[in-house]
Amino acid sequence: MKKAMVFALSLTMVLSMAGCGSKKETEAPATEAKTEAAKETEAVKETEAVTKAAVETEGATEKTTSEGTYKAAFLIPGTLGDKSFWDSGNDGLTKLRDELGADVFDFKVEQMGGNAADMANYEPTFLDYADSGEYDVIITGSWQCVDGIISAMEMYPDQKFILFDEEFDFEGNGNPETMYNIMFKQNEVSYLVGAEAAMMSESGIVSFLGGMDGKVINDFLVGYIQGAKDTNPDIKVAVSMVGDYEDSAKGKDLSLAMYNAGADCGFNVAGNAGLGLIEAAAETGKYAFGVDSDQAALLPEYAEFIPTSALKNVGDALYTSIKRDMAGELPYGTTEYLGFAENGVGLVEDAHYEEIVPEDVRTKVDELQEKITSGEIEVFSSSTMSTDEIEELKASVAVQ
Amino acid sequence: MWNSLLTPEFYNSILRATTPILFATLASGVAAKSGICNMALEGILLFSALFGVIFSSVTHSFLLGILLTMVVGGCIGLFMAFFILNMKTDEILAAIAINLIATGGTVLLLLAFSGDRGSSTSITNVSAPVLVIPFIQDIPFIGKILSGQNVLTYLALIMVVVMHLFIYKTPLGLKIRAVGENKNAAESVGISSRKIQYISLVLSGVLCSLGGYFLSGGYMNMFTKDMSAGKGFIALAASSMGGDTPIGGFLVSMLFGAAQAFANMMQLTTIPVELIQMIPYLTTLIGLAIFSYIVMKRKAKLSGK
């Protein structure tokens, strides 16, 4: 009896895990977050694609898997529908497929799930995909995937990989000639947010809510501080770290503490916990800058408190990388840093932005962006700074 | 920064941080009194945070929303009790299963209801209202702390007294304690231990669901993925540190809340953030050490006589 129950229980657990990943193996265009209109066109496209495929299968069955098709596997350590990173990547690849046709370029999305329990599956998934040999390139992103990808690289030295948003250490890890590494210059876009916050702040205090004290978050932070300081040398920057990316309630408390201490513009870089900053801004009537996706559009209730959002253009980056790879021009074995010049990062600049942010601020921001693009302004980066230098920078603008 | 400690906002943030932990602590206490360690608090918090948003948006009513959420909390307690008591599953295993179902299940349900996977921004939920107490709110400083809190914060404080009276002054409370102390002895005088444990687990689920509702409709005004963020486990610790009594649990959760609010304030200083993030846990350790020292002293005194 007891054994049977233990079995039933483990079944429940397995089912629950299956539940959270039930959308795994979805073919690419099935992103939920599409408007009705988009869905319809999508449906039309899909039927077209199906008919096309059907015609092709009638003609020559082997053609679909023939060498002419460039196939990519997009393995994400999370799920689609995040309205940010992974959706952006999926959109970029979908755009490329729509443009070139599914017989020239096709891709498959594997949603590996983002829970702690899913992490154990990353490595086997990479190995499976590399082992199948069907894919010209395997694309993935963020730090969780690095270990899995390294072991796949070591076992399959001919398989090509693209890794974005986490610096890859080419020294001694697999065949470096098979890895192309994309990094985003989040510090550049963060500089603009800092400058904008400093210009919009009336109290002379701006705030920053980070997830964890780590390299990427600090890259955002140093850019933000530099941007704010260059614009207003007397600016104070209140900095808080949630300690994780989930605890939105704690994020809200930290943000309220910063807003109550006088800050009137904040920047959240803390995943879901960062939503706490936006709620705190709405509650105190202050401003909060968004990150990773157009948060003003995603949170219409709070839009009036969100002037703009800082974006990493994952989709564009993948789109260009694949195109370059098809032309044989992708520099494997190197890490490329995509900033404003490469259209790797950017601010949301739409009607909403123009409505909230005064024109003189916007012009100034555009000028700064040009200066960064041309290299006239060199933005600090956490990757070239020591911990002491970062602490020093933080201390120089600390609220006392 | 030190001036901030003297503002009413600081004390408000203590109460805010304490509320969800306090509900879960009381929930843990009542289960523990009946002899079951309810480790599923984390999962119940997360489920009820989600269902709070869903129900209040469907019914457009705070009261209906919270009532239905309490029903869900009770059902999870019932479900757990069924597995533990009827099916003889290990209570820790059952709790782990519920917690795991919660992390994945809430995302799945969220997706079904809102089409989102990260947060419930597209659902308009009804948050628990803030209660302004006339006259008291006019008292300088203290008025701003005592008045203008969330209804659920007041309810949590009231529940401390209610649970204390329930456990120590009612026949059912006596039975719960009897079952928890010694199941066989309780059975020998005709108490159905299964029935009593069923009741305490359901009660535990209902209490915990109030904390969950507060998370997404009071603390925050939306559900975000994994938003319980370990609060259920903190409550478990708070409860056992407080000797599984409502009053003890209340004091410890206030301590945790205060430590968290203090740590939040400290982040405005230049002290390294890693040190600051240790404060709540360090407080726990120190508190635990003091607590067990007192208990040890008392025991030594008793045995010495």
Side-chain angles (χ1 to χ4, degrees), chain B residues 216-238:
Chain B
S216 63
Y219 214 143
M220 288 285 285
N221 296 308
M222 60 171 108
F223 173 83
T224 63
K225 193 180 111 194
D226 286 341
M227 76 184 304
S228 52
K231 292 187 175 62
F233 296 115
I234 292 177
L236 205 63

mmCIF file with all atom_site columns, all heavy atoms in Angstrom, chain B residues 216-238:
data_model
loop_
_atom_site.group_PDB
_atom_site.id
_atom_site.type_symbol
_atom_site.label_atom_id
_atom_site.label_alt_id
_atom_site.label_comp_id
_atom_site.label_asym_id
_atom_site.label_entity_id
_atom_site.label_seq_id
_atom_site.pdbx_PDB_ins_code
_atom_site.Cartn_x
_atom_site.Cartn_y
_atom_site.Cartn_z
_atom_site.occupancy
_atom_site.B_iso_or_equiv
_atom_site.pdbx_formal_charge
_atom_site.auth_seq_id
_atom_site.auth_comp_id
_atom_site.auth_asym_id
_atom_site.auth_atom_id
_atom_site.pdbx_PDB_model_num
ATOM 1   N N   . SER B 1 216 ? -0.424 38.730 -3.450  1.00 0.00 ? 216 SER B N   1
ATOM 2   C CA  . SER B 1 216 ? -0.741 39.230 -4.792  1.00 0.00 ? 216 SER B CA  1
ATOM 3   C C   . SER B 1 216 ? -1.828 40.297 -4.775  1.00 0.00 ? 216 SER B C   1
ATOM 4   O O   . SER B 1 216 ? -2.072 40.943 -5.784  1.00 0.00 ? 216 SER B O   1
ATOM 5   C CB  . SER B 1 216 ? -1.171 38.072 -5.688  1.00 0.00 ? 216 SER B CB  1
ATOM 6   O OG  . SER B 1 216 ? -2.350 37.502 -5.185  1.00 0.00 ? 216 SER B OG  1
ATOM 7   N N   . GLY B 1 217 ? -2.490 40.466 -3.637  1.00 0.00 ? 217 GLY B N   1
ATOM 8   C CA  . GLY B 1 217 ? -3.551 41.471 -3.581  1.00 0.00 ? 217 GLY B CA  1
ATOM 9   C C   . GLY B 1 217 ? -3.440 42.267 -2.304  1.00 0.00 ? 217 GLY B C   1
ATOM 10  O O   . GLY B 1 217 ? -4.306 42.218 -1.446  1.00 0.00 ? 217 GLY B O   1
ATOM 11  N N   . GLY B 1 218 ? -2.373 43.025 -2.185  1.00 0.00 ? 218 GLY B N   1
ATOM 12  C CA  . GLY B 1 218 ? -2.159 43.795 -0.965  1.00 0.00 ? 218 GLY B CA  1
ATOM 13  C C   . GLY B 1 218 ? -0.711 44.247 -0.935  1.00 0.00 ? 218 GLY B C   1
ATOM 14  O O   . GLY B 1 218 ? -0.400 45.421 -1.078  1.00 0.00 ? 218 GLY B O   1
ATOM 15  N N   . TYR B 1 219 ? 0.172  43.275 -0.821  1.00 0.00 ? 219 TYR B N   1
ATOM 16  C CA  . TYR B 1 219 ? 1.613  43.546 -0.896  1.00 0.00 ? 219 TYR B CA  1
ATOM 17  C C   . TYR B 1 219 ? 1.912  44.046 -2.303  1.00 0.00 ? 219 TYR B C   1
ATOM 18  O O   . TYR B 1 219 ? 2.311  45.181 -2.511  1.00 0.00 ? 219 TYR B O   1
ATOM 19  C CB  . TYR B 1 219 ? 2.365  42.237 -0.633  1.00 0.00 ? 219 TYR B CB  1
ATOM 20  C CG  . TYR B 1 219 ? 3.675  42.381 0.100   1.00 0.00 ? 219 TYR B CG  1
ATOM 21  C CD1 . TYR B 1 219 ? 4.071  41.437 1.040   1.00 0.00 ? 219 TYR B CD1 1
ATOM 22  C CD2 . TYR B 1 219 ? 4.514  43.445 -0.155  1.00 0.00 ? 219 TYR B CD2 1
ATOM 23  C CE1 . TYR B 1 219 ? 5.276  41.541 1.706   1.00 0.00 ? 219 TYR B CE1 1
ATOM 24  C CE2 . TYR B 1 219 ? 5.722  43.557 0.508   1.00 0.00 ? 219 TYR B CE2 1
ATOM 25  C CZ  . TYR B 1 219 ? 6.103  42.589 1.434   1.00 0.00 ? 219 TYR B CZ  1
ATOM 26  O OH  . TYR B 1 219 ? 7.288  42.686 2.084   1.00 0.00 ? 219 TYR B OH  1
ATOM 27  N N   . MET B 1 220 ? 1.676  43.151 -3.264  1.00 0.00 ? 220 MET B N   1
ATOM 28  C CA  . MET B 1 220 ? 1.733  43.534 -4.675  1.00 0.00 ? 220 MET B CA  1
ATOM 29  C C   . MET B 1 220 ? 0.289  43.578 -5.164  1.00 0.00 ? 220 MET B C   1
ATOM 30  O O   . MET B 1 220 ? -0.618 43.129 -4.470  1.00 0.00 ? 220 MET B O   1
ATOM 31  C CB  . MET B 1 220 ? 2.498  42.478 -5.484  1.00 0.00 ? 220 MET B CB  1
ATOM 32  C CG  . MET B 1 220 ? 3.984  42.441 -5.250  1.00 0.00 ? 220 MET B CG  1
ATOM 33  S SD  . MET B 1 220 ? 4.841  43.811 -6.046  1.00 0.00 ? 220 MET B SD  1
ATOM 34  C CE  . MET B 1 220 ? 4.810  43.309 -7.776  1.00 0.00 ? 220 MET B CE  1
ATOM 35  N N   . ASN B 1 221 ? 0.100  44.089 -6.374  1.00 0.00 ? 221 ASN B N   1
ATOM 36  C CA  . ASN B 1 221 ? -1.249 44.069 -6.921  1.00 0.00 ? 221 ASN B CA  1
ATOM 37  C C   . ASN B 1 221 ? -1.333 43.177 -8.147  1.00 0.00 ? 221 ASN B C   1
ATOM 38  O O   . ASN B 1 221 ? -2.141 43.387 -9.045  1.00 0.00 ? 221 ASN B O   1
ATOM 39  C CB  . ASN B 1 221 ? -1.707 45.479 -7.257  1.00 0.00 ? 221 ASN B CB  1
ATOM 40  C CG  . ASN B 1 221 ? -1.808 46.312 -6.007  1.00 0.00 ? 221 ASN B CG  1
ATOM 41  O OD1 . ASN B 1 221 ? -2.454 45.919 -5.042  1.00 0.00 ? 221 ASN B OD1 1
ATOM 42  N ND2 . ASN B 1 221 ? -1.130 47.447 -5.997  1.00 0.00 ? 221 ASN B ND2 1
ATOM 43  N N   . MET B 1 222 ? -0.452 42.207 -8.211  1.00 0.00 ? 222 MET B N   1
ATOM 44  C CA  . MET B 1 222 ? -0.474 41.246 -9.310  1.00 0.00 ? 222 MET B CA  1
ATOM 45  C C   . MET B 1 222 ? 0.244  39.985 -8.844  1.00 0.00 ? 222 MET B C   1
ATOM 46  O O   . MET B 1 222 ? 0.951  40.001 -7.846  1.00 0.00 ? 222 MET B O   1
ATOM 47  C CB  . MET B 1 222 ? 0.221  41.817 -10.544 1.00 0.00 ? 222 MET B CB  1
ATOM 48  C CG  . MET B 1 222 ? 1.672  42.167 -10.306 1.00 0.00 ? 222 MET B CG  1
ATOM 49  S SD  . MET B 1 222 ? 2.531  42.584 -11.818 1.00 0.00 ? 222 MET B SD  1
ATOM 50  C CE  . MET B 1 222 ? 2.762  44.341 -11.655 1.00 0.00 ? 222 MET B CE  1
ATOM 51  N N   . PHE B 1 223 ? -0.008 38.919 -9.596  1.00 0.00 ? 223 PHE B N   1
ATOM 52  C CA  . PHE B 1 223 ? 0.724  37.689 -9.307  1.00 0.00 ? 223 PHE B CA  1
ATOM 53  C C   . PHE B 1 223 ? 1.974  37.675 -10.165 1.00 0.00 ? 223 PHE B C   1
ATOM 54  O O   . PHE B 1 223 ? 1.915  37.978 -11.347 1.00 0.00 ? 223 PHE B O   1
ATOM 55  C CB  . PHE B 1 223 ? -0.157 36.470 -9.635  1.00 0.00 ? 223 PHE B CB  1
ATOM 56  C CG  . PHE B 1 223 ? 0.568  35.163 -9.520  1.00 0.00 ? 223 PHE B CG  1
ATOM 57  C CD1 . PHE B 1 223 ? 0.702  34.541 -8.293  1.00 0.00 ? 223 PHE B CD1 1
ATOM 58  C CD2 . PHE B 1 223 ? 1.138  34.572 -10.635 1.00 0.00 ? 223 PHE B CD2 1
ATOM 59  C CE1 . PHE B 1 223 ? 1.390  33.344 -8.186  1.00 0.00 ? 223 PHE B CE1 1
ATOM 60  C CE2 . PHE B 1 223 ? 1.823  33.378 -10.528 1.00 0.00 ? 223 PHE B CE2 1
ATOM 61  C CZ  . PHE B 1 223 ? 1.942  32.755 -9.299  1.00 0.00 ? 223 PHE B CZ  1
ATOM 62  N N   . THR B 1 224 ? 3.117  37.357 -9.567  1.00 0.00 ? 224 THR B N   1
ATOM 63  C CA  . THR B 1 224 ? 4.297  37.128 -10.393 1.00 0.00 ? 224 THR B CA  1
ATOM 64  C C   . THR B 1 224 ? 4.818  35.731 -10.080 1.00 0.00 ? 224 THR B C   1
ATOM 65  O O   . THR B 1 224 ? 4.666  35.238 -8.969  1.00 0.00 ? 224 THR B O   1
ATOM 66  C CB  . THR B 1 224 ? 5.413  38.159 -10.140 1.00 0.00 ? 224 THR B CB  1
ATOM 67  O OG1 . THR B 1 224 ? 5.855  38.037 -8.795  1.00 0.00 ? 224 THR B OG1 1
ATOM 68  C CG2 . THR B 1 224 ? 4.939  39.566 -10.377 1.00 0.00 ? 224 THR B CG2 1
ATOM 69  N N   . LYS B 1 225 ? 5.409  35.134 -11.096 1.00 0.00 ? 225 LYS B N   1
ATOM 70  C CA  . LYS B 1 225 ? 5.887  33.760 -10.992 1.00 0.00 ? 225 LYS B CA  1
ATOM 71  C C   . LYS B 1 225 ? 6.760  33.558 -9.746  1.00 0.00 ? 225 LYS B C   1
ATOM 72  O O   . LYS B 1 225 ? 7.633  34.362 -9.472  1.00 0.00 ? 225 LYS B O   1
ATOM 73  C CB  . LYS B 1 225 ? 6.690  33.462 -12.262 1.00 0.00 ? 225 LYS B CB  1
ATOM 74  C CG  . LYS B 1 225 ? 6.996  32.016 -12.487 1.00 0.00 ? 225 LYS B CG  1
ATOM 75  C CD  . LYS B 1 225 ? 7.797  31.861 -13.762 1.00 0.00 ? 225 LYS B CD  1
ATOM 76  C CE  . LYS B 1 225 ? 9.207  31.425 -13.416 1.00 0.00 ? 225 LYS B CE  1
ATOM 77  N NZ  . LYS B 1 225 ? 10.152 31.545 -14.492 1.00 0.00 ? 225 LYS B NZ  1
ATOM 78  N N   . ASP B 1 226 ? 6.514  32.491 -9.023  1.00 0.00 ? 226 ASP B N   1
ATOM 79  C CA  . ASP B 1 226 ? 7.325  32.130 -7.849  1.00 0.00 ? 226 ASP B CA  1
ATOM 80  C C   . ASP B 1 226 ? 7.390  33.237 -6.802  1.00 0.00 ? 226 ASP B C   1
ATOM 81  O O   . ASP B 1 226 ? 8.400  33.396 -6.116  1.00 0.00 ? 226 ASP B O   1
ATOM 82  C CB  . ASP B 1 226 ? 8.757  31.766 -8.273  1.00 0.00 ? 226 ASP B CB  1
ATOM 83  C CG  . ASP B 1 226 ? 8.806  30.406 -8.934  1.00 0.00 ? 226 ASP B CG  1
ATOM 84  O OD1 . ASP B 1 226 ? 7.857  29.634 -8.734  1.00 0.00 ? 226 ASP B OD1 1
ATOM 85  O OD2 . ASP B 1 226 ? 9.772  30.128 -9.649  1.00 0.00 ? 226 ASP B OD2 1
ATOM 86  N N   . MET B 1 227 ? 6.309  34.019 -6.675  1.00 0.00 ? 227 MET B N   1
ATOM 87  C CA  . MET B 1 227 ? 6.400  35.186 -5.814  1.00 0.00 ? 227 MET B CA  1
ATOM 88  C C   . MET B 1 227 ? 6.447  34.841 -4.326  1.00 0.00 ? 227 MET B C   1
ATOM 89  O O   . MET B 1 227 ? 6.767  35.701 -3.512  1.00 0.00 ? 227 MET B O   1
ATOM 90  C CB  . MET B 1 227 ? 5.263  36.169 -6.119  1.00 0.00 ? 227 MET B CB  1
ATOM 91  C CG  . MET B 1 227 ? 3.905  35.786 -5.591  1.00 0.00 ? 227 MET B CG  1
ATOM 92  S SD  . MET B 1 227 ? 2.624  36.962 -6.127  1.00 0.00 ? 227 MET B SD  1
ATOM 93  C CE  . MET B 1 227 ? 3.271  38.517 -5.546  1.00 0.00 ? 227 MET B CE  1
ATOM 94  N N   . SER B 1 228 ? 6.139  33.605 -3.957  1.00 0.00 ? 228 SER B N   1
ATOM 95  C CA  . SER B 1 228 ? 6.225  33.271 -2.536  1.00 0.00 ? 228 SER B CA  1
ATOM 96  C C   . SER B 1 228 ? 7.680  33.301 -2.057  1.00 0.00 ? 228 SER B C   1
ATOM 97  O O   . SER B 1 228 ? 7.934  33.573 -0.882  1.00 0.00 ? 228 SER B O   1
ATOM 98  C CB  . SER B 1 228 ? 5.601  31.912 -2.262  1.00 0.00 ? 228 SER B CB  1
ATOM 99  O OG  . SER B 1 228 ? 6.141  30.943 -3.118  1.00 0.00 ? 228 SER B OG  1
ATOM 100 N N   . ALA B 1 229 ? 8.615  33.057 -2.984  1.00 0.00 ? 229 ALA B N   1
ATOM 101 C CA  . ALA B 1 229 ? 10.051 33.269 -2.732  1.00 0.00 ? 229 ALA B CA  1
ATOM 102 C C   . ALA B 1 229 ? 10.532 32.823 -1.351  1.00 0.00 ? 229 ALA B C   1
ATOM 103 O O   . ALA B 1 229 ? 11.222 33.548 -0.654  1.00 0.00 ? 229 ALA B O   1
ATOM 104 C CB  . ALA B 1 229 ? 10.415 34.738 -2.966  1.00 0.00 ? 229 ALA B CB  1
ATOM 105 N N   . GLY B 1 230 ? 10.128 31.627 -0.947  1.00 0.00 ? 230 GLY B N   1
ATOM 106 C CA  . GLY B 1 230 ? 10.664 31.070 0.302   1.00 0.00 ? 230 GLY B CA  1
ATOM 107 C C   . GLY B 1 230 ? 9.965  31.515 1.571   1.00 0.00 ? 230 GLY B C   1
ATOM 108 O O   . GLY B 1 230 ? 10.372 31.135 2.672   1.00 0.00 ? 230 GLY B O   1
ATOM 109 N N   . LYS B 1 231 ? 8.906  32.339 1.432   1.00 0.00 ? 231 LYS B N   1
ATOM 110 C CA  . LYS B 1 231 ? 8.239  32.843 2.650   1.00 0.00 ? 231 LYS B CA  1
ATOM 111 C C   . LYS B 1 231 ? 7.598  31.716 3.451   1.00 0.00 ? 231 LYS B C   1
ATOM 112 O O   . LYS B 1 231 ? 7.523  31.783 4.681   1.00 0.00 ? 231 LYS B O   1
ATOM 113 C CB  . LYS B 1 231 ? 7.196  33.885 2.277   1.00 0.00 ? 231 LYS B CB  1
ATOM 114 C CG  . LYS B 1 231 ? 7.834  35.145 1.738   1.00 0.00 ? 231 LYS B CG  1
ATOM 115 C CD  . LYS B 1 231 ? 6.825  36.251 1.531   1.00 0.00 ? 231 LYS B CD  1
ATOM 116 C CE  . LYS B 1 231 ? 7.519  37.528 1.100   1.00 0.00 ? 231 LYS B CE  1
ATOM 117 N NZ  . LYS B 1 231 ? 8.223  37.395 -0.192  1.00 0.00 ? 231 LYS B NZ  1
ATOM 118 N N   . GLY B 1 232 ? 7.146  30.679 2.745   1.00 0.00 ? 232 GLY B N   1
ATOM 119 C CA  . GLY B 1 232 ? 6.552  29.542 3.440   1.00 0.00 ? 232 GLY B CA  1
ATOM 120 C C   . GLY B 1 232 ? 7.562  28.848 4.337   1.00 0.00 ? 232 GLY B C   1
ATOM 121 O O   . GLY B 1 232 ? 7.232  28.414 5.444   1.00 0.00 ? 232 GLY B O   1
ATOM 122 N N   . PHE B 1 233 ? 8.780  28.765 3.861   1.00 0.00 ? 233 PHE B N   1
ATOM 123 C CA  . PHE B 1 233 ? 9.819  28.100 4.658   1.00 0.00 ? 233 PHE B CA  1
ATOM 124 C C   . PHE B 1 233 ? 10.262 28.978 5.819   1.00 0.00 ? 233 PHE B C   1
ATOM 125 O O   . PHE B 1 233 ? 10.555 28.487 6.907   1.00 0.00 ? 233 PHE B O   1
ATOM 126 C CB  . PHE B 1 233 ? 11.002 27.717 3.772   1.00 0.00 ? 233 PHE B CB  1
ATOM 127 C CG  . PHE B 1 233 ? 10.630 26.708 2.721   1.00 0.00 ? 233 PHE B CG  1
ATOM 128 C CD1 . PHE B 1 233 ? 10.673 27.030 1.384   1.00 0.00 ? 233 PHE B CD1 1
ATOM 129 C CD2 . PHE B 1 233 ? 10.182 25.445 3.083   1.00 0.00 ? 233 PHE B CD2 1
ATOM 130 C CE1 . PHE B 1 233 ? 10.298 26.108 0.416   1.00 0.00 ? 233 PHE B CE1 1
ATOM 131 C CE2 . PHE B 1 233 ? 9.808  24.526 2.129   1.00 0.00 ? 233 PHE B CE2 1
ATOM 132 C CZ  . PHE B 1 233 ? 9.867  24.853 0.793   1.00 0.00 ? 233 PHE B CZ  1
ATOM 133 N N   . ILE B 1 234 ? 10.297 30.289 5.565   1.00 0.00 ? 234 ILE B N   1
ATOM 134 C CA  . ILE B 1 234 ? 10.636 31.208 6.650   1.00 0.00 ? 234 ILE B CA  1
ATOM 135 C C   . ILE B 1 234 ? 9.587  31.073 7.751   1.00 0.00 ? 234 ILE B C   1
ATOM 136 O O   . ILE B 1 234 ? 9.911  31.031 8.944   1.00 0.00 ? 234 ILE B O   1
ATOM 137 C CB  . ILE B 1 234 ? 10.697 32.661 6.122   1.00 0.00 ? 234 ILE B CB  1
ATOM 138 C CG1 . ILE B 1 234 ? 11.890 32.814 5.180   1.00 0.00 ? 234 ILE B CG1 1
ATOM 139 C CG2 . ILE B 1 234 ? 10.798 33.648 7.277   1.00 0.00 ? 234 ILE B CG2 1
ATOM 140 C CD1 . ILE B 1 234 ? 12.016 34.158 4.536   1.00 0.00 ? 234 ILE B CD1 1
ATOM 141 N N   . ALA B 1 235 ? 8.320  30.960 7.336   1.00 0.00 ? 235 ALA B N   1
ATOM 142 C CA  . ALA B 1 235 ? 7.237  30.830 8.306   1.00 0.00 ? 235 ALA B CA  1
ATOM 143 C C   . ALA B 1 235 ? 7.379  29.544 9.109   1.00 0.00 ? 235 ALA B C   1
ATOM 144 O O   . ALA B 1 235 ? 7.134  29.505 10.312  1.00 0.00 ? 235 ALA B O   1
ATOM 145 C CB  . ALA B 1 235 ? 5.901  30.864 7.590   1.00 0.00 ? 235 ALA B CB  1
ATOM 146 N N   . LEU B 1 236 ? 7.788  28.499 8.424   1.00 0.00 ? 236 LEU B N   1
ATOM 147 C CA  . LEU B 1 236 ? 7.992  27.213 9.094   1.00 0.00 ? 236 LEU B CA  1
ATOM 148 C C   . LEU B 1 236 ? 9.032  27.379 10.208  1.00 0.00 ? 236 LEU B C   1
ATOM 149 O O   . LEU B 1 236 ? 8.857  26.902 11.338  1.00 0.00 ? 236 LEU B O   1
ATOM 150 C CB  . LEU B 1 236 ? 8.479  26.203 8.056   1.00 0.00 ? 236 LEU B CB  1
ATOM 151 C CG  . LEU B 1 236 ? 8.216  24.736 8.309   1.00 0.00 ? 236 LEU B CG  1
ATOM 152 C CD1 . LEU B 1 236 ? 6.727  24.474 8.346   1.00 0.00 ? 236 LEU B CD1 1
ATOM 153 C CD2 . LEU B 1 236 ? 8.864  23.911 7.202   1.00 0.00 ? 236 LEU B CD2 1
ATOM 154 N N   . ALA B 1 237 ? 10.101 28.095 9.858   1.00 0.00 ? 237 ALA B N   1
ATOM 155 C CA  . ALA B 1 237 ? 11.151 28.346 10.845  1.00 0.00 ? 237 ALA B CA  1
ATOM 156 C C   . ALA B 1 237 ? 10.613 29.236 11.966  1.00 0.00 ? 237 ALA B C   1
ATOM 157 O O   . ALA B 1 237 ? 10.863 28.978 13.151  1.00 0.00 ? 237 ALA B O   1
ATOM 158 C CB  . ALA B 1 237 ? 12.348 29.005 10.180  1.00 0.00 ? 237 ALA B CB  1
ATOM 159 N N   . ALA B 1 238 ? 9.868  30.270 11.585  1.00 0.00 ? 238 ALA B N   1
ATOM 160 C CA  . ALA B 1 238 ? 9.340  31.205 12.583  1.00 0.00 ? 238 ALA B CA  1
ATOM 161 C C   . ALA B 1 238 ? 8.447  30.466 13.564  1.00 0.00 ? 238 ALA B C   1
ATOM 162 O O   . ALA B 1 238 ? 8.502  30.683 14.775  1.00 0.00 ? 238 ALA B O   1
ATOM 163 C CB  . ALA B 1 238 ? 8.561  32.319 11.901  1.00 0.00 ? 238 ALA B CB  1
#
